[in-house]
Amino acid sequence: MRVSQVARSCFNTLRLNFRPAPMTRSHFTYYPTAVGPGDAKKMNMFTAINNAMDLALEEDSTALLFGEDVGFGGVFRCSVNLRDKYGKDRVFNSPLCEQGIAGFAIGVANAGATAIAEIQFADYIFPSFDQIVNEAAKYRYRSGGLFDCGSLTFRVPCGAVGHGALYHSQSPEAYFAHTPGLRVVVPRGPIKAKGLLLACIRDPNPCIVFEPKTLYRAAVEEVPTEYYTSELGKADILRKGKDVTLIGWGTQVHVLLEVAELAKEKHNIDCEVIDLVSILPWDTETICNSAKKTGRVVIAHEAPFTQGFGSEIAAYIQDKCFLNLEAPVKRVTGWDTPFPHVFEPFYLPDKLRCLTAIKDIVNY
Amino acid sequence: MFKVAGKISSRLDSRLLLRCSSAQPLAPCVEETVESQSQPLNNASPQELNLGDEYRVVYLPKDFKLHRLNAGPARAVAIMKSQAREYYRQLLTVRLLESAASRLYKEQLVRGFCHLYMGQEACAVGIRAAMRSNDKLITGYRVHGWAYMMGVSARGVLGELTGRRSGCSGGKGGSMHMYGRNFYGGTGIVGDQVPLGAGVALTSKYLQDGGVCLALYGDGAANQGQVFECFNMALLWKLPMIFVCENNNYGMGTSSQRAAANVNYYTRGDLMPGIWVNGQDVLAVRSATEFAIKHAQQEGPIILELCTYRYGGHSMSDPGTSYRTREEIQKVRQQHDPIQGFGALCLEQQILTADELQEISQMARLEMEVATRAARKDGEPPLSHLWSDVYSGVYEGKLSGVHPGIEA
């Protein structure tokens, strides 16, 4: 069977030698975004985030940064040097208690200070789920606007990293997309990470930034050094095309860009690649315009299939663009299993699966 | 400094100027040096003495600290020759197991997050020595040593780390998810195991199987809300449960003094009695556990705080030197190593000879060599296991949301 051949060849390439040769295990190739004129510096994603927080703490004297191990720089080095620069009363470690961190952050924001709270891995966000969903998202509504925790931003490393297994790889954006009152964003690289984080910190609504951890080092771009914000709620069209619309966010965007190249090269299919950027609220206009133009949509995400955020996009597209569609909306996603330990390469919506989906949708 | 596998950062390069936390006072258990004295047999450990076997009586050098208890564990303990051999073998084997795991990790045969137990061996060996066959245990993610102590073979542990079919979870769980008989693992989420342990204890009580449940957690997890929820439930319902805080003084990169307002973890159960134990002394741990098991069965839940230390970082992705000094690690290795300490005790008490220690060491090494070889060579789980064990029974086989093309 073809799949078992693919599996065997994957197993063979993955089988390691005794010599510790560096292995490219990543399922994606990084596509940097080019930036406009202005002072820019080569940064990877954690440096860009560090820069963003530096600027935020400088500009806003009420801004606080806290979370587990952020003091010494954080497990991903996003908060390096910030404690030295701004002091222990602004950049501090919290004990190991996500529910406490979230509740505490909400309180800080309600009282008028700016809270930047880090949850060390998205897989650990669930003890704080109650606080985020029941408190943060509903404070403004239930108080009739008297209180809000708008100056609250959660930074949450998420996503597959090649070897994270069940509890260091999850993408929980769909759970939070289901909660009105929150903003949820996912950067695809350093420029976006800095811009979105600064935008979220300024945004008067509680925000969650899911940062794909595999991009912290792998993603390098020329990032403007000034204070700038990216537009929230706006999707980016990264590659224009007329045949198929490909929608993704975070790391998956880079997989889709590579797939778009392959599709053009091998099958002469012209793909339009869109980075959704904001999960909640999401840019329905850009997506629908593209869907109406191409008539064929493939959505890809790492999170499991059932009730992944792709299902929301698909439902909306078929509602608003039905008569323009040439084929049903396709979703290429992680399977409906826990994120696996050794089976990760077969779990992820890699370029082979995405390419197959494009061929299928074109031949529908 | 070794190069860390995997793309993702967490590699804290020693050349970078990351400031170490300012010199922290070492936790009490690692400040004093160990002395041992022989004392006549009075108030001996409650264990049966098989007088056919050679034995010694040892007076534990460090006293226990008690919270809401009038009397504590026995400080004069008996150690039989067969036990001395067994404990030494187990201590050494757990250390070698973790060394093997570390080597396999550096060769990139183990990937992901791998949390080593080196330095904490006396906790596992001591607790296991006191456990009876119907007692249950659950712990967090620093679980390789525990899996071995609870009956998983070294091949099962190393195979699980390298993702082999022969691994104890079939290669599907990895480093943090190992399970066995009466051993509930094994969880990656900090603190989650404690309420689970409470449930296991309740079931033991309900089914009247005479067992207790030991729920282990670290100093980091000790600040989780769910742990306090369990303290309340355990006391309210008089669960036969022992909360064991393996306090290795650091929660990832944060020292326990900087994470906890009250670092006396054995007192944090409020009305629940607690005992502070020198976790580097296997006989102290055993004595305390025996006491605790009796207490849990007869009176109710109790907390044991084992003051211990991990030589490695939090995981293989953390060198462990950006938040503590190398001198501190060296000092504990030299003065409070559980294996050296127990070996020295055995020699001093003349219950084991240097030759016997050497023999045990060689056998342990061989066991680990065989297991490591298997972990390199054993087969991997077939692809169909990607979607097995999601649900039970009739739902296996055709799982929606898994592309049919991939079914083998």
Side-chain angles (χ1 to χ4, degrees):
Chain A
M1 228 197 95
R2 194 155 35 103
V3 172
S4 66
Q5 285 168 356
V6 169
R8 210 170 294 125
S9 67
C10 282
F11 269 130
N12 285 334
T13 52
L14 292 172
R15 197 175 293 281
L16 293 142
N17 304 317
F18 289 131
R19 268 188 318 228
M23 274 235 323
T24 34
R25 271 283 296 261
S26 60
H27 65 288
F28 69 98
T29 308
Y30 185 72
Y31 286 75
T33 300
V35 75
D39 267 330
K41 193 164 145 208
K42 198 165 188 171
M43 295 187 207
N44 61 23
M45 202 163 91
F46 72 75
T47 314
I49 292 168
N50 186 258
N51 182 232
M53 293 199 286
D54 191 1
L55 292 170
L57 286 163
E58 188 174 35
E59 186 215 32
D60 178 353
S61 60
T62 73
L64 306 177
L65 167 62
F66 49 90
E68 290 156 22
D69 303 304
V70 299
F72 79 82
V75 289
F76 297 111
R77 301 222 273 189
C78 294
S79 48
V80 162
N81 293 327
L82 294 178
R83 183 173 61 179
D84 290 349
K85 192 166 172 189
Y86 296 101
K88 285 187 192 166
D89 54 338
R90 293 185 68 192
V91 178
F92 53 92
N93 288 348
S94 67
L96 218 172
C97 45
E98 286 75 14
Q99 184 174 27
I101 292 170
F104 178 84
I106 294 166
V108 165
N110 269 332
T114 299
I116 309 170
E118 179 182 300
I119 302 285
Q120 199 164 83
F121 282 86
D123 317 60
Y124 311 158
I125 202 170
F126 300 106
S128 22
F129 194 66
D130 171 58
Q131 286 285 352
I132 296 172
V133 165
N134 280 330
E135 299 292 321
K138 298 171 168 68
Y139 228 110
R140 187 193 297 273
Y141 188 89
R142 73 192 189 197
S143 67
L146 190 62
F147 282 107
D148 65 80
C149 41
S151 56
L152 168 57
T153 304
F154 286 100
R155 283 189 43 246
V156 187
C158 72
V161 73
H163 55 99
L166 290 83
Y167 299 114
H168 295 83
S169 315
Q170 291 177 42
S171 303
E173 70 272 356
Y175 295 111
F176 295 93
H178 195 53
T179 309
L182 297 176
R183 288 203 97 108
V184 179
V185 295
V186 186
R188 68 172 179 277
I191 296 175
K192 238 20 210 197
K194 177 175 169 179
L196 287 173
L197 183 55
L198 288 173
C200 285
I201 291 171
R202 268 202 188 153
D203 185 77
N205 294 293
C207 302
I208 307 178
V209 184
F210 284 111
E211 302 166 351
K213 63 176 90 69
T214 195
L215 297 179
Y216 278 136
R217 277 186 183 265
V220 180
E221 281 170 352
E222 295 280 329
V223 182
T225 49
E226 59 187 1
Y227 190 114
Y228 69 92
T229 56
S230 300
E231 195 178 339
L232 295 174
K234 184 95 183 56
D236 290 343
I237 300 178
L238 299 179
R239 179 187 167 119
K240 284 206 170 294
K242 56 176 176 44
D243 296 330
V244 183
T245 302
L246 305 178
I247 305 172
W249 48 91
T251 317
Q252 197 64 23
V253 166
H254 302 283
V255 177
L256 292 177
L257 284 168
E258 189 172 354
V259 168
E261 272 178 14
L262 288 171
K264 182 71 182 168
E265 208 175 283
K266 302 207 155 118
H267 308 286
N268 203 23
I269 300 173
D270 203 25
C271 296
E272 179 149 295
V273 179
I274 304 182
D275 176 5
L276 193 63
V277 181
S278 281
I279 304 292
L280 189 72
W282 60 283
D283 190 349
T284 51
E285 195 182 324
T286 305
I287 300 295
C288 285
N289 287 342
S290 181
K292 285 179 184 161
K293 179 170 83 167
T294 63
R296 296 169 210 272
V297 181
V298 175
I299 306 166
H301 57 70
E302 286 174 14
F305 183 75
T306 300
Q307 205 65 10
F309 195 65
S311 54
E312 163 65 24
I313 303 174
Y316 193 91
I317 290 174
Q318 65 88 36
D319 183 17
K320 301 291 180 194
C321 318
F322 184 74
L323 293 173
N324 300 78
L325 290 180
E326 295 293 334
V329 176
K330 243 184 161 14
R331 292 175 282 158
V332 187
T333 69
W335 305 126
D336 277 344
T337 71
F339 199 103
H341 172 224
V342 290
F343 299 110
E344 183 168 334
F346 304 102
Y347 177 89
L348 291 174
D350 62 12
K351 55 192 180 208
L352 299 173
R353 281 176 56 196
C354 291
L355 195 56
T356 309
I358 291 173
K359 290 197 298 187
D360 289 348
I361 205 175
V362 161
N363 295 325
Y364 184 76
Chain B
M1 191 53 83
F2 50 83
K3 194 160 167 53
V4 175
K7 288 174 91 69
I8 200 54
S9 134
S10 294
R11 183 182 80 174
L12 294 163
D13 195 331
S14 63
R15 289 168 299 174
L16 282 183
L17 297 171
L18 284 171
R19 195 178 72 169
C20 281
S21 59
S22 57
Q24 299 284 339
L26 295 176
C29 79
V30 295
E31 273 168 358
E32 304 139 46
T33 53
V34 172
E35 295 161 11
S36 86
Q37 311 153 28
S38 280
Q39 287 271 323
L41 178 65
N42 58 20
N43 194 22
S45 95
Q47 220 182 6
E48 289 266 340
L49 297 176
N50 174 5
L51 293 174
D53 195 0
E54 219 183 306
Y55 74 95
R56 301 283 183 275
V57 176
V58 171
Y59 192 71
L60 297 170
K62 281 200 189 120
D63 204 357
F64 301 97
K65 294 187 219 168
L66 305 179
H67 171 72
R68 293 193 189 269
L69 282 170
N70 293 323
R75 206 170 155 187
V77 298
I79 172 90
M80 294 190 276
K81 189 177 169 92
S82 55
Q83 292 171 338
R85 289 188 67 104
E86 185 58 3
Y87 301 163
Y88 189 76
R89 184 194 71 77
Q90 289 172 333
L91 287 167
L92 201 50
T93 309
V94 172
R95 178 69 60 91
L96 292 172
L97 181 70
E98 296 295 62
S99 299
S102 169
R103 258 196 321 276
L104 289 169
Y105 193 94
K106 290 176 198 171
E107 291 175 28
Q108 300 195 26
L109 286 171
V110 176
R111 308 203 70 221
F113 299 88
C114 184
H115 309 84
L116 299 181
Y117 203 65
M118 290 197 258
Q120 298 184 211
E121 296 85 358
C123 300
V125 175
I127 289 181
R128 190 72 182 94
M131 281 171 73
R132 304 142 319 151
S133 64
N134 55 354
D135 289 328
K136 290 113 185 136
L137 191 135
I138 190 169
T139 182
Y141 48 75
R142 204 172 295 280
V143 87
H144 313 153
W146 271 112
Y148 180 79
M149 291 306 299
M150 293 299 290
V152 177
S153 67
R155 181 185 187 182
V157 173
L158 295 177
E160 186 57 38
L161 285 170
T162 51
R164 308 290 171 186
R165 186 80 181 271
S166 56
C168 58
S169 300
K172 292 181 63 164
S175 165
M176 295 182 280
H177 308 109
M178 300 186 180
Y179 308 86
R181 185 186 164 273
N182 282 348
F183 175 53
Y184 294 83
T187 176
I189 302 297
V190 171
D192 268 9
Q193 70 274 19
V194 182
L196 266 62
V200 171
L202 178 68
T203 309
S204 267
K205 180 172 177 173
Y206 182 71
L207 297 176
Q208 295 179 323
D209 66 10
V212 304
C213 182
L214 294 101
L216 276 63
Y217 56 97
D219 49 288
N223 300 314
Q224 277 271 317
Q226 52 194 327
V227 173
F228 292 91
E229 292 178 10
C230 288
F231 287 160
N232 185 46
M233 287 192 283
L235 271 174
L236 196 59
W237 300 327
K238 256 190 80 174
L239 299 181
M241 185 170 177
I242 304 172
F243 293 85
V244 182
C245 179
E246 285 180 308
N247 176 12
N248 62 19
N249 294 286
Y250 292 93
M252 200 358 272
T254 306
S255 75
S256 62
Q257 284 98 329
R258 288 189 294 136
N262 176 4
V263 293
N264 295 314
Y265 297 99
Y266 68 108
T267 65
R268 288 181 73 178
D270 186 20
L271 292 180
M272 193 184 308
I275 308 175
W276 179 97
V277 185
N278 173 13
Q280 302 302 83
D281 180 349
V282 66
L283 296 179
V285 175
R286 183 185 74 173
S287 178
T289 310
E290 280 164 359
F291 179 91
I293 289 176
K294 202 153 117 204
H295 191 277
Q297 282 194 296
Q298 292 168 3
E299 319 278 341
I302 186 171
I303 305 178
L304 290 182
E305 178 188 337
L306 307 181
C307 189
T308 183
Y309 199 85
R310 57 165 160 82
Y311 300 144
H314 164 74
S315 70
M316 292 293 294
S317 310
D318 167 35
T321 45
S322 59
Y323 47 84
R324 55 184 188 172
T325 62
R326 287 184 204 275
E327 287 75 42
E328 179 188 294
I329 305 171
Q330 277 306 97
K331 183 172 171 193
V332 178
R333 255 196 206 273
Q334 278 155 15
Q335 294 174 10
H336 303 282
D337 183 76
I339 302 175
Q340 269 170 29
F342 189 66
L345 176 78
C346 291
L347 290 175
E348 197 186 299
Q349 295 288 328
Q350 295 178 334
I351 195 158
L352 291 177
T353 64
D355 280 343
E356 283 170 317
L357 291 184
Q358 175 74 343
E359 178 199 330
I360 295 170
S361 169
Q362 282 173 346
M363 285 174 55
R365 274 178 219 286
L366 181 61
E367 181 184 345
M368 218 39 64
E369 233 176 78
V370 173
T372 311
R373 217 176 302 143
R376 290 192 206 283
K377 298 230 156 85
D378 282 348
E380 286 159 349
L383 190 55
S384 57
H385 287 205
L386 166 58
W387 59 83
S388 68
D389 304 311
V390 179
Y391 290 103
S392 79
V394 297
Y395 295 99
E396 300 282 32
K398 268 227 181 299
L399 203 60
S400 79
V402 181
H403 196 286
I406 216 167
E407 276 166 19

